[in-house]
Coordinates of all heavy atoms in Angstrom, one line a residue:
M1 N 9.5 3.8 -6.6 CA 8.3 3.1 -6.3 C 7.1 4.0 -6.6 O 7.1 5.2 -6.2 CB 8.3 2.7 -4.8 CG 7.1 1.9 -4.4 SD 7.1 1.3 -2.7 CE 8.8 1.5 -2.1
N2 N 6.1 3.5 -7.3 CA 5.0 4.3 -7.7 C 3.9 4.4 -6.5 O 4.0 3.6 -5.6 CB 4.3 3.8 -9.0 CG 3.7 2.5 -8.9 OD1 3.3 2.0 -7.8 ND2 3.6 1.8 -10.0
T3 N 3.0 5.3 -6.7 CA 1.9 5.5 -5.7 C 1.1 4.3 -5.4 O 0.8 3.9 -4.3 CB 1.1 6.6 -6.1 OG1 1.9 7.8 -6.3 CG2 0.0 7.0 -5.1
I4 N 0.8 3.5 -6.4 CA 0.0 2.3 -6.3 C 0.7 1.3 -5.4 O 0.1 0.7 -4.5 CB -0.3 1.6 -7.7 CG1 -1.0 2.6 -8.7 CG2 -1.1 0.4 -7.5 CD1 -2.2 3.3 -8.2
T5 N 1.9 1.1 -5.7 CA 2.8 0.1 -4.9 C 2.8 0.6 -3.4 O 2.7 -0.2 -2.5 CB 4.2 0.0 -5.5 OG1 4.0 -0.4 -6.9 CG2 5.0 -1.0 -4.8
K6 N 3.1 1.9 -3.2 CA 3.1 2.4 -1.8 C 1.8 2.2 -1.1 O 1.8 1.7 0.0 CB 3.5 3.9 -1.9 CG 4.8 4.2 -2.3 CD 5.1 5.6 -2.3 CE 6.4 6.0 -2.9 NZ 6.6 7.4 -3.1
I7 N 0.7 2.4 -1.8 CA -0.6 2.2 -1.1 C -0.8 0.7 -0.8 O -1.3 0.4 0.3 CB -1.7 2.8 -2.1 CG1 -1.7 4.3 -2.1 CG2 -3.1 2.3 -1.5 CD1 -2.6 5.0 -3.1
L8 N -0.5 -0.1 -1.7 CA -0.7 -1.6 -1.5 C 0.2 -2.0 -0.3 O -0.3 -2.7 0.5 CB -0.4 -2.3 -2.8 CG -1.4 -2.2 -3.9 CD1 -0.9 -2.9 -5.1 CD2 -2.7 -2.8 -3.5
Q9 N 1.4 -1.6 -0.3 CA 2.4 -2.0 0.8 C 1.9 -1.4 2.1 O 1.9 -2.2 3.1 CB 3.8 -1.5 0.4 CG 4.5 -2.3 -0.7 CD 5.9 -1.7 -1.0 OE1 6.2 -0.6 -0.6 NE2 6.6 -2.5 -1.6
A10 N 1.5 -0.2 2.1 CA 1.0 0.4 3.4 C -0.3 -0.3 3.9 O -0.4 -0.6 5.1 CB 0.7 1.9 3.3
S11 N -1.2 -0.5 3.1 CA -2.4 -1.2 3.5 C -2.2 -2.6 3.9 O -2.6 -3.1 5.0 CB -3.4 -1.2 2.3 OG -4.7 -1.6 2.7
A12 N -1.3 -3.3 3.2 CA -1.0 -4.7 3.5 C -0.3 -4.7 4.9 O -0.6 -5.6 5.8 CB -0.2 -5.4 2.5
A13 N 0.7 -3.9 5.1 CA 1.5 -3.8 6.3 C 0.6 -3.5 7.6 O 0.8 -4.1 8.6 CB 2.5 -2.7 6.2
E14 N -0.4 -2.7 7.4 CA -1.3 -2.4 8.5 C -2.0 -3.6 9.0 O -2.3 -3.7 10.2 CB -2.3 -1.3 8.1 CG -3.3 -0.9 9.1 CD -2.7 -0.3 10.4 OE1 -1.6 0.3 10.3 OE2 -3.4 -0.5 11.4
F15 N -2.3 -4.5 8.1 CA -3.1 -5.7 8.5 C -2.2 -6.9 8.6 O -2.7 -8.1 8.8 CB -4.2 -6.0 7.4 CG -5.3 -5.0 7.5 CD1 -5.3 -3.8 6.9 CD2 -6.4 -5.3 8.3 CE1 -6.3 -2.9 7.0 CE2 -7.5 -4.4 8.4 CZ -7.4 -3.1 7.7
G16 N -0.9 -6.7 8.5 CA 0.1 -7.9 8.6 C 0.0 -8.8 7.4 O 0.1 -10.1 7.6
L17 N -0.2 -8.3 6.2 CA -0.4 -9.1 5.1 C 0.7 -8.8 4.1 O 1.5 -7.9 4.2 CB -1.7 -8.8 4.4 CG -3.0 -8.9 5.3 CD1 -4.2 -8.3 4.6 CD2 -3.2 -10.4 5.5
E18 N 0.7 -9.6 3.0 CA 1.6 -9.3 1.8 C 0.8 -8.6 0.8 O -0.4 -8.8 0.7 CB 2.1 -10.7 1.3 CG 2.9 -11.5 2.3 CD 4.2 -10.8 2.7 OE1 4.9 -10.2 1.8 OE2 4.6 -11.0 3.9
T19 N 1.5 -7.9 0.0 CA 0.8 -7.1 -1.1 C 0.0 -8.1 -2.1 O -1.0 -7.7 -2.6 CB 1.7 -6.2 -1.9 OG1 2.8 -7.0 -2.5 CG2 2.2 -5.1 -1.1
E20 N 0.6 -9.3 -2.2 CA 0.0 -10.2 -3.1 C -1.4 -10.7 -2.6 O -2.3 -11.1 -3.3 CB 0.8 -11.5 -3.3 CG 2.1 -11.2 -4.0 CD 3.2 -10.6 -3.2 OE1 3.2 -10.7 -1.9 OE2 4.1 -9.9 -3.7
D21 N -1.5 -10.6 -1.2 CA -2.9 -11.0 -0.7 C -4.0 -10.1 -1.1 O -5.1 -10.4 -1.3 CB -2.8 -10.9 0.9 CG -1.9 -11.9 1.5 OD1 -1.7 -13.0 1.0 OD2 -1.3 -11.6 2.6
L22 N -3.6 -8.8 -1.3 CA -4.6 -7.8 -1.7 C -5.0 -8.0 -3.2 O -6.1 -7.6 -3.6 CB -4.1 -6.4 -1.5 CG -3.7 -6.0 -0.1 CD1 -3.3 -4.5 0.0 CD2 -4.7 -6.4 0.9
T23 N -4.1 -8.5 -4.0 CA -4.5 -8.7 -5.4 C -5.0 -10.2 -5.7 O -5.4 -10.5 -6.8 CB -3.3 -8.4 -6.3 OG1 -2.2 -9.3 -6.0 CG2 -2.9 -7.0 -6.2
G24 N -5.0 -11.0 -4.6 CA -5.5 -12.4 -4.8 C -7.0 -12.5 -4.6 O -7.7 -11.5 -4.5
P25 N -7.5 -13.7 -4.7 CA -8.9 -13.9 -4.7 C -9.5 -14.0 -3.3 O -10.8 -14.1 -3.2 CB -9.1 -15.3 -5.4 CG -7.8 -16.0 -5.1 CD -6.7 -14.9 -5.0
S26 N -8.8 -14.1 -2.2 CA -9.3 -14.3 -0.9 C -10.4 -13.3 -0.5 O -10.3 -12.1 -0.8 CB -8.2 -14.3 0.1 OG -8.7 -14.5 1.4
R27 N -11.4 -13.8 0.3 CA -12.4 -13.0 0.8 C -12.3 -13.0 2.3 O -13.3 -12.6 3.0 CB -13.8 -13.5 0.4 CG -14.0 -13.3 -1.1 CD -15.4 -13.7 -1.5 NE -15.7 -13.6 -2.9 CZ -16.8 -13.8 -3.4 NH1 -17.8 -14.2 -2.7 NH2 -17.0 -13.6 -4.7
H28 N -11.2 -13.3 2.9 CA -11.0 -13.3 4.3 C -11.2 -11.8 4.8 O -10.7 -10.9 4.1 CB -9.5 -13.8 4.7 CG -9.3 -13.9 6.1 ND1 -8.9 -12.9 6.9 CD2 -9.5 -15.0 7.0 CE1 -8.8 -13.3 8.2 NE2 -9.2 -14.5 8.2
A29 N -11.8 -11.6 5.9 CA -12.2 -10.3 6.3 C -11.0 -9.3 6.4 O -11.2 -8.2 5.9 CB -12.8 -10.4 7.7
D30 N -9.9 -9.7 7.0 CA -8.8 -8.8 7.0 C -8.3 -8.3 5.6 O -7.9 -7.2 5.4 CB -7.6 -9.4 7.8 CG -7.8 -9.3 9.3 OD1 -8.8 -8.7 9.8 OD2 -7.1 -10.0 10.1
I31 N -8.2 -9.3 4.7 CA -7.8 -9.0 3.4 C -8.7 -8.1 2.7 O -8.3 -7.2 2.0 CB -7.5 -10.4 2.6 CG1 -6.4 -11.2 3.3 CG2 -7.2 -10.1 1.1 CD1 -6.1 -12.5 2.7
V32 N -10.0 -8.4 2.8 CA -11.0 -7.5 2.2 C -10.9 -6.1 2.7 O -11.0 -5.2 2.0 CB -12.4 -8.1 2.4 CG1 -13.5 -7.1 1.9 CG2 -12.5 -9.4 1.6
Q33 N -10.8 -6.0 4.0 CA -10.7 -4.6 4.6 C -9.5 -3.9 4.1 O -9.6 -2.7 3.7 CB -10.6 -4.7 6.1 CG -11.9 -5.1 6.8 CD -11.8 -5.2 8.3 OE1 -11.1 -4.5 8.9 NE2 -12.5 -6.2 8.9
A34 N -8.3 -4.6 4.1 CA -7.1 -3.9 3.5 C -7.3 -3.6 2.1 O -6.8 -2.5 1.6 CB -5.9 -4.9 3.7
R35 N -7.9 -4.5 1.3 CA -8.1 -4.2 -0.1 C -9.0 -3.0 -0.3 O -8.8 -2.2 -1.2 CB -8.7 -5.5 -0.7 CG -8.8 -5.4 -2.2 CD -9.5 -6.7 -2.8 NE -8.7 -7.9 -2.5 CZ -9.2 -9.1 -2.1 NH1 -10.4 -9.2 -1.8 NH2 -8.4 -10.1 -1.9
H36 N -10.1 -2.9 0.5 CA -11.0 -1.8 0.3 C -10.3 -0.5 0.6 O -10.6 0.5 0.0 CB -12.2 -2.0 1.3 CG -13.2 -3.0 0.7 ND1 -14.4 -3.3 1.4 CD2 -13.2 -3.7 -0.4 CE1 -15.1 -4.2 0.7 NE2 -14.4 -4.5 -0.4
I37 N -9.5 -0.5 1.7 CA -8.8 0.7 2.1 C -7.8 1.1 1.0 O -7.8 2.3 0.6 CB -8.0 0.6 3.4 CG1 -9.1 0.5 4.6 CG2 -7.0 1.6 3.6 CD1 -8.5 0.2 5.9
A38 N -7.2 0.1 0.4 CA -6.3 0.4 -0.7 C -7.0 1.0 -1.9 O -6.6 2.0 -2.5 CB -5.5 -0.8 -1.2
M39 N -8.2 0.4 -2.2 CA -9.0 1.0 -3.4 C -9.4 2.4 -3.1 O -9.3 3.3 -4.0 CB -10.2 0.1 -3.6 CG -9.9 -1.2 -4.3 SD -11.5 -2.1 -4.5 CE -10.8 -3.7 -5.0
A40 N -9.8 2.7 -1.9 CA -10.3 4.0 -1.5 C -9.1 5.0 -1.6 O -9.3 6.1 -2.2 CB -10.9 4.1 -0.1
L41 N -8.0 4.6 -1.1 CA -6.8 5.6 -1.2 C -6.3 5.7 -2.6 O -5.9 6.9 -3.0 CB -5.7 5.1 -0.3 CG -6.1 5.2 1.2 CD1 -5.0 4.5 2.1 CD2 -6.2 6.6 1.6
M42 N -6.4 4.7 -3.4 CA -6.1 4.9 -4.9 C -7.0 5.9 -5.5 O -6.6 6.8 -6.3 CB -6.1 3.6 -5.6 CG -5.0 2.6 -5.3 SD -5.1 1.1 -6.2 CE -3.9 0.1 -5.3
H43 N -8.3 5.8 -5.2 CA -9.3 6.7 -5.8 C -9.1 8.1 -5.3 O -9.2 9.1 -6.1 CB -10.7 6.2 -5.3 CG -11.8 7.0 -6.0 ND1 -12.5 7.9 -5.3 CD2 -12.3 6.9 -7.2 CE1 -13.4 8.4 -6.1 NE2 -13.3 7.9 -7.3
E44 N -8.7 8.3 -4.0 CA -8.5 9.6 -3.4 C -7.2 10.2 -3.8 O -7.1 11.5 -3.9 CB -8.6 9.5 -1.9 CG -10.0 9.1 -1.4 CD -10.0 8.8 0.1 OE1 -9.0 9.1 0.8 OE2 -11.0 8.2 0.6
S45 N -6.2 9.4 -3.9 CA -4.8 9.9 -4.1 C -4.2 10.0 -5.5 O -3.2 10.5 -5.7 CB -3.8 9.1 -3.2 OG -4.3 9.0 -1.9
T46 N -5.0 9.4 -6.4 CA -4.5 9.3 -7.8 C -5.6 9.8 -8.7 O -6.7 10.0 -8.3 CB -4.0 7.9 -8.2 OG1 -5.2 7.1 -8.4 CG2 -3.1 7.2 -7.2
S47 N -5.2 9.9 -10.0 CA -6.2 10.3 -11.0 C -6.7 9.0 -11.7 O -7.3 9.2 -12.8 CB -5.5 11.3 -12.0 OG -4.4 10.6 -12.6
M48 N -6.4 7.9 -11.1 CA -6.9 6.6 -11.8 C -8.4 6.5 -11.8 O -9.1 6.9 -10.9 CB -6.4 5.4 -11.0 CG -4.9 5.3 -11.0 SD -4.3 3.9 -9.9 CE -4.9 2.5 -10.8
G49 N -8.9 6.0 -12.9 CA -10.3 5.7 -13.0 C -10.7 4.4 -12.3 O -9.8 3.7 -11.9
L50 N -11.9 4.2 -12.2 CA -12.4 3.0 -11.5 C -11.9 1.7 -12.2 O -11.6 0.7 -11.5 CB -13.9 3.0 -11.4 CG -14.5 4.2 -10.6 CD1 -16.0 4.1 -10.6 CD2 -14.0 4.2 -9.2
H51 N -11.9 1.7 -13.5 CA -11.5 0.5 -14.2 C -10.0 0.2 -14.0 O -9.5 -0.9 -13.8 CB -11.7 0.6 -15.7 CG -13.1 0.5 -16.2 ND1 -13.7 -0.7 -16.1 CD2 -14.0 1.3 -16.6 CE1 -15.0 -0.6 -16.6 NE2 -15.1 0.7 -16.9
A52 N -9.2 1.3 -13.9 CA -7.7 1.2 -13.7 C -7.5 0.7 -12.3 O -6.6 -0.2 -12.1 CB -7.0 2.5 -13.9
I53 N -8.2 1.2 -11.3 CA -8.1 0.7 -9.9 C -8.4 -0.8 -9.9 O -7.7 -1.6 -9.2 CB -8.9 1.5 -9.0 CG1 -8.4 3.0 -8.9 CG2 -8.9 0.9 -7.6 CD1 -9.3 3.9 -8.2
A54 N -9.5 -1.2 -10.5 CA -9.9 -2.6 -10.5 C -8.8 -3.4 -11.1 O -8.4 -4.5 -10.6 CB -11.2 -2.8 -11.3
R55 N -8.2 -3.0 -12.2 CA -7.2 -3.8 -12.9 C -5.9 -3.9 -12.0 O -5.2 -4.9 -11.9 CB -6.8 -3.2 -14.2 CG -7.8 -3.5 -15.3 CD -7.3 -3.2 -16.7 NE -6.9 -1.7 -16.8 CZ -7.8 -0.7 -17.1 NH1 -9.0 -1.0 -17.4 NH2 -7.3 0.5 -17.2
A56 N -5.6 -2.8 -11.3 CA -4.4 -2.7 -10.4 C -4.5 -3.8 -9.3 O -3.6 -4.4 -8.8 CB -4.2 -1.4 -9.8
L57 N -5.8 -4.1 -8.9 CA -6.0 -5.1 -7.9 C -6.5 -6.4 -8.5 O -7.0 -7.2 -7.7 CB -7.0 -4.5 -6.8 CG -6.3 -3.5 -6.0 CD1 -7.2 -2.4 -5.5 CD2 -5.6 -4.1 -4.8
K58 N -6.3 -6.6 -9.8 CA -6.7 -7.8 -10.4 C -8.2 -8.2 -10.3 O -8.5 -9.3 -10.1 CB -5.8 -9.0 -10.0 CG -4.3 -8.7 -10.4 CD -3.5 -9.9 -10.0 CE -2.0 -9.5 -10.4 NZ -1.1 -10.5 -9.9
R59 N -9.0 -7.2 -10.4 CA -10.4 -7.3 -10.3 C -11.0 -7.2 -11.7 O -10.4 -6.4 -12.5 CB -11.1 -6.4 -9.3 CG -10.6 -6.5 -7.9 CD -11.0 -7.9 -7.4 NE -10.5 -8.2 -6.1 CZ -9.6 -9.0 -5.9 NH1 -8.9 -9.6 -6.8 NH2 -9.2 -9.4 -4.6
K60 N -12.1 -7.8 -12.0 CA -12.7 -7.8 -13.4 C -13.5 -6.5 -13.7 O -13.5 -6.1 -14.8 CB -13.5 -9.0 -13.6 CG -12.7 -10.3 -13.5 CD -13.6 -11.5 -13.7 CE -12.8 -12.7 -13.6 NZ -13.6 -13.9 -13.7
E61 N -14.2 -5.9 -12.7 CA -15.1 -4.9 -13.0 C -14.9 -3.7 -12.1 O -14.5 -3.8 -10.9 CB -16.5 -5.4 -12.9 CG -16.8 -6.5 -13.8 CD -18.2 -7.1 -13.7 OE1 -19.0 -6.4 -13.1 OE2 -18.5 -8.1 -14.2
K62 N -15.3 -2.5 -12.6 CA -15.3 -1.3 -11.8 C -16.3 -1.4 -10.7 O -16.2 -0.7 -9.7 CB -15.5 -0.1 -12.6 CG -16.9 0.1 -13.1 CD -17.0 1.4 -13.9 CE -18.5 1.7 -14.3 NZ -18.6 2.9 -15.0
G63 N -17.3 -2.2 -10.8 CA -18.4 -2.3 -9.7 C -17.7 -2.8 -8.4 O -18.3 -2.4 -7.3
T64 N -16.7 -3.5 -8.5 CA -16.0 -4.0 -7.3 C -15.4 -2.8 -6.5 O -15.5 -2.7 -5.3 CB -14.9 -4.9 -7.6 OG1 -15.4 -6.0 -8.4 CG2 -14.1 -5.5 -6.4
V65 N -14.9 -1.8 -7.3 CA -14.3 -0.6 -6.7 C -15.4 0.2 -6.2 O -15.3 0.8 -5.1 CB -13.4 0.1 -7.8 CG1 -12.8 1.4 -7.1 CG2 -12.3 -0.8 -8.3
I66 N -16.5 0.4 -6.9 CA -17.6 1.2 -6.4 C -18.1 0.7 -5.1 O -18.4 1.4 -4.1 CB -18.7 1.2 -7.5 CG1 -18.3 2.0 -8.7 CG2 -20.0 1.8 -6.9 CD1 -19.2 1.9 -9.9
H67 N -18.3 -0.7 -5.0 CA -18.7 -1.3 -3.7 C -17.7 -1.0 -2.6 O -18.1 -0.7 -1.5 CB -18.8 -2.8 -4.0 CG -19.1 -3.6 -2.7 ND1 -20.4 -3.6 -2.1 CD2 -18.4 -4.4 -1.9 CE1 -20.3 -4.3 -1.0 NE2 -19.1 -4.8 -0.9
A68 N -16.4 -1.1 -2.9 CA -15.4 -0.9 -1.9 C -15.5 0.6 -1.4 O -15.4 0.8 -0.2 CB -14.0 -1.2 -2.5
L69 N -15.6 1.5 -2.3 CA -15.7 2.9 -1.9 C -16.9 3.2 -1.0 O -16.8 3.9 0.0 CB -15.8 3.8 -3.1 CG -14.6 3.8 -4.0 CD1 -14.9 4.7 -5.3 CD2 -13.3 4.2 -3.3
K70 N -18.0 2.5 -1.3 CA -19.2 2.7 -0.4 C -19.0 2.0 0.9 O -19.4 2.6 1.9 CB -20.4 2.0 -1.1 CG -21.7 2.1 -0.3 CD -22.9 1.5 -1.0 CE -24.2 1.7 -0.3 NZ -24.2 1.8 1.1
Q71 N -18.4 0.8 0.9 CA -18.1 0.2 2.2 C -17.2 1.0 3.1 O -17.4 1.1 4.3 CB -17.5 -1.2 1.9 CG -18.4 -2.2 1.3 CD -19.5 -2.6 2.3 OE1 -19.2 -2.9 3.5 NE2 -20.7 -2.5 1.9
V72 N -16.2 1.6 2.5 CA -15.2 2.4 3.3 C -16.0 3.6 3.9 O -15.9 3.9 5.1 CB -14.0 2.9 2.4 CG1 -13.2 3.9 3.2 CG2 -13.1 1.7 2.1
K73 N -16.7 4.3 3.0 CA -17.5 5.4 3.5 C -18.4 5.1 4.7 O -18.5 5.7 5.7 CB -18.3 6.0 2.4 CG -19.1 7.3 2.8 CD -19.9 7.8 1.6 CE -20.7 9.0 2.1 NZ -21.6 9.5 1.0
D74 N -19.2 4.0 4.5 CA -20.1 3.5 5.5 C -19.4 3.1 6.8 O -19.8 3.5 7.9 CB -21.0 2.4 4.9 CG -22.0 2.8 3.9 OD1 -22.1 4.0 3.6 OD2 -22.5 1.9 3.2
R75 N -18.4 2.3 6.7 CA -17.7 1.8 7.8 C -17.0 2.9 8.7 O -16.8 2.8 9.9 CB -16.7 0.7 7.4 CG -17.5 -0.6 7.1 CD -16.6 -1.7 6.9 NE -16.2 -2.2 8.3 CZ -15.4 -3.2 8.5 NH1 -14.9 -3.9 7.5 NH2 -15.1 -3.6 9.7
M76 N -16.5 3.9 7.9 CA -15.8 5.0 8.6 C -16.8 5.7 9.6 O -16.3 6.2 10.6 CB -15.3 6.0 7.6 CG -14.1 5.5 6.8 SD -12.6 5.3 7.7 CE -12.1 7.0 7.8
A77 N -18.1 5.6 9.3 CA -19.1 6.3 10.1 C -19.4 5.6 11.4 O -19.8 6.2 12.4 CB -20.4 6.5 9.4
Y78 N -19.2 4.3 11.5 CA -19.5 3.5 12.7 C -18.5 2.6 13.3 O -18.6 2.1 14.4 CB -20.8 2.7 12.5 CG -20.7 1.5 11.5 CD1 -20.2 0.3 12.0 CD2 -20.9 1.7 10.2 CE1 -20.1 -0.8 11.2 CE2 -20.8 0.6 9.3 CZ -20.4 -0.6 9.9 OH -20.2 -1.7 9.0
D79 N -17.4 2.2 12.5 CA -16.5 1.3 13.0 C -15.1 1.9 13.3 O -14.4 2.2 12.5 CB -16.3 0.2 11.8 CG -15.5 -1.0 12.2 OD1 -14.7 -0.9 13.2 OD2 -15.5 -2.0 11.5
L80 N -14.9 2.1 14.7 CA -13.7 2.8 15.1 C -12.5 2.0 14.7 O -11.5 2.6 14.3 CB -13.8 2.9 16.6 CG -12.6 3.7 17.2 CD1 -12.5 5.1 16.7 CD2 -12.8 3.7 18.8
R81 N -12.5 0.7 14.8 CA -11.3 -0.1 14.5 C -11.0 0.1 13.0 O -9.8 0.3 12.6 CB -11.5 -1.6 14.8 CG -10.3 -2.4 14.4 CD -10.5 -3.9 14.8 NE -10.3 -4.0 16.2 CZ -10.7 -4.9 17.0 NH1 -11.5 -5.8 16.5 NH2 -10.4 -5.0 18.3
F82 N -11.9 0.1 12.1 CA -11.7 0.3 10.7 C -11.2 1.7 10.4 O -10.3 1.9 9.6 CB -13.0 0.0 9.9 CG -12.9 0.1 8.4 CD1 -12.4 -1.0 7.7 CD2 -13.2 1.3 7.8 CE1 -12.2 -0.9 6.3 CE2 -13.0 1.4 6.4 CZ -12.5 0.3 5.7
S83 N -11.8 2.6 11.1 CA -11.4 4.1 10.9 C -9.9 4.2 11.3 O -9.1 4.9 10.6 CB -12.2 5.0 11.7 OG -13.5 5.0 11.3
R84 N -9.6 3.6 12.4 CA -8.2 3.7 12.9 C -7.2 3.0 11.9 O -6.2 3.6 11.6 CB -8.1 3.0 14.3 CG -6.7 3.2 14.9 CD -6.7 2.6 16.3 NE -7.6 3.3 17.2 CZ -8.5 2.7 17.9 NH1 -8.6 1.4 17.9 NH2 -9.3 3.4 18.7
A85 N -7.6 1.9 11.4 CA -6.8 1.2 10.3 C -6.6 2.1 9.1 O -5.5 2.3 8.6 CB -7.4 -0.1 9.9
Y86 N -7.7 2.7 8.7 CA -7.6 3.6 7.5 C -6.7 4.8 7.7 O -5.8 5.1 6.9 CB -9.1 4.2 7.2 CG -9.1 5.2 6.1 CD1 -9.3 4.8 4.8 CD2 -8.9 6.6 6.3 CE1 -9.3 5.7 3.8 CE2 -9.0 7.5 5.3 CZ -9.2 7.0 4.0 OH -9.2 7.9 3.0
F87 N -6.8 5.5 8.9 CA -5.9 6.6 9.2 C -4.5 6.1 9.4 O -3.5 6.8 9.1 CB -6.4 7.4 10.4 CG -7.7 8.2 10.0 CD1 -8.9 7.9 10.6 CD2 -7.6 9.1 8.9 CE1 -10.0 8.6 10.2 CE2 -8.8 9.8 8.5 CZ -10.0 9.6 9.2
N88 N -4.3 4.9 10.0 CA -2.9 4.4 10.1 C -2.3 4.2 8.8 O -1.1 4.4 8.6 CB -2.9 3.0 10.9 CG -3.2 3.3 12.4 OD1 -3.0 4.4 12.9 ND2 -3.5 2.2 13.1
V89 N -3.0 3.7 7.8 CA -2.5 3.5 6.5 C -2.1 4.9 5.9 O -1.0 5.0 5.3 CB -3.5 2.7 5.5 CG1 -3.0 2.7 4.1 CG2 -3.7 1.4 6.0
C90 N -3.0 5.9 6.0 CA -2.7 7.2 5.6 C -1.4 7.7 6.2 O -0.6 8.3 5.5 CB -3.8 8.2 5.9 SG -5.3 7.8 5.0
A91 N -1.2 7.5 7.5 CA 0.0 7.9 8.2 C 1.2 7.2 7.6 O 2.3 7.8 7.5 CB -0.1 7.6 9.7
R92 N 1.1 5.9 7.4 CA 2.2 5.2 6.8 C 2.6 5.8 5.4 O 3.8 5.9 5.1 CB 1.9 3.7 6.5 CG 1.8 2.9 7.8 CD 1.3 1.5 7.4 NE 1.0 0.6 8.5 CZ 1.9 -0.1 9.1 NH1 3.1 -0.2 8.6 NH2 1.6 -0.8 10.2
L93 N 1.6 6.3 4.7 CA 1.9 6.9 3.4 C 2.6 8.2 3.5 O 3.3 8.7 2.6 CB 0.6 7.0 2.5 CG 0.1 5.7 2.1 CD1 -1.3 5.9 1.5 CD2 1.0 5.0 1.1
Q94 N 2.4 8.9 4.6 CA 3.0 10.2 4.9 C 4.5 10.2 5.3 O 5.2 11.2 5.2 CB 2.2 11.0 5.9 CG 0.8 11.3 5.5 CD 0.7 12.1 4.2 OE1 1.4 13.0 4.0 NE2 -0.2 11.7 3.3
K95 N 4.9 9.0 5.8 CA 6.3 8.9 6.3 C 7.3 9.0 5.1 O 7.0 8.6 4.0 CB 6.5 7.5 7.0 CG 5.7 7.4 8.3 CD 6.0 6.1 9.0 CE 5.3 6.1 10.3 NZ 5.5 4.9 11.0
T96 N 8.4 9.5 5.5 CA 9.5 9.6 4.5 C 10.1 8.2 4.3 O 10.0 7.4 5.1 CB 10.6 10.6 5.0 OG1 11.2 10.1 6.2 CG2 10.0 12.0 5.2
P97 N 10.8 8.0 3.2 CA 11.5 6.8 2.9 C 12.4 6.3 4.0 O 12.5 5.1 4.3 CB 12.2 7.0 1.6 CG 11.5 8.1 0.9 CD 11.0 8.9 2.0
Q98 N 13.1 7.3 4.7 CA 14.0 6.9 5.8 C 13.2 6.3 7.0 O 13.7 5.5 7.6 CB 14.8 8.1 6.3 CG 15.7 8.7 5.3 CD 15.0 9.8 4.4 OE1 13.8 10.0 4.5 NE2 15.7 10.3 3.4
D99 N 12.0 6.8 7.2 CA 11.1 6.3 8.3 C 10.6 4.9 8.0 O 10.3 4.2 8.9 CB 9.9 7.2 8.5 CG 10.3 8.6 9.0 OD1 11.4 8.8 9.6 OD2 9.5 9.6 8.7
L100 N 10.5 4.5 6.7 CA 9.9 3.2 6.4 C 10.9 2.1 6.5 O 10.6 1.0 6.6 CB 9.4 3.3 5.0 CG 8.2 4.2 4.7 CD1 7.8 4.3 3.3 CD2 7.0 3.9 5.6
S101 N 12.2 2.4 6.5 CA 13.3 1.4 6.6 C 13.5 1.0 8.1 O 13.1 1.5 9.0 CB 14.5 1.8 5.9 OG 14.9 3.1 6.3

């Protein structure tokens, strides 16, 4: 399983979603938050460019990713629930495969 898939699965699981929700068109708040976290972690954890991250999440432009990165940075400063979700996704990614089953 590649890093992108792991990030999508961890982010979706944190919010009780399916990975397909993150690549779909929905603008529901939980889906958007999970999607933004996934984009930020892809940016931080891989060497993918902004266009590649956008394509991985079936978005048309890199501007969507730039917006997500700004939203994550801003929300981490004031939203405890969002920060907790972000760090929970990070923790999920640190678990070994045996822990995930």
Side-chain angles (χ1 to χ4, degrees):
M1 182 176 344
N2 67 27
T3 304
I4 306 307
T5 303
K6 288 178 187 175
I7 291 171
L8 288 173
Q9 287 178 341
S11 189
E14 177 63 26
F15 288 86
L17 304 169
E18 300 295 325
T19 56
E20 294 80 21
D21 294 329
L22 303 186
T23 58
S26 177
R27 291 184 179 183
H28 188 271
D30 284 349
I31 294 173
V32 170
Q33 288 179 36
R35 188 183 296 137
H36 282 182
I37 289 172
M39 288 182 187
L41 290 173
M42 286 178 194
H43 185 256
E44 295 168 14
S45 305
T46 70
S47 60
M48 293 174 70
L50 299 176
H51 285 291
I53 293 170
R55 282 191 304 271
L57 286 147
K58 298 183 182 172
R59 300 295 176 255
K60 295 179 182 178
E61 300 182 13
K62 72 176 185 178
T64 305
V65 180
I66 293 169
H67 174 74
L69 297 176
K70 182 180 182 332
Q71 289 294 308
V72 169
K73 180 181 177 186
D74 291 350
R75 288 192 73 178
M76 292 289 285
Y78 71 85
D79 187 339
L80 182 60
R81 179 177 280 156
F82 183 83
S83 297
R84 189 175 296 129
Y86 177 89
F87 289 117
N88 286 345
V89 173
C90 291
R92 286 176 188 269
L93 292 170
Q94 298 301 317
K95 291 183 177 183
T96 64
Q98 297 86 1
D99 294 336
L100 296 175
S101 50

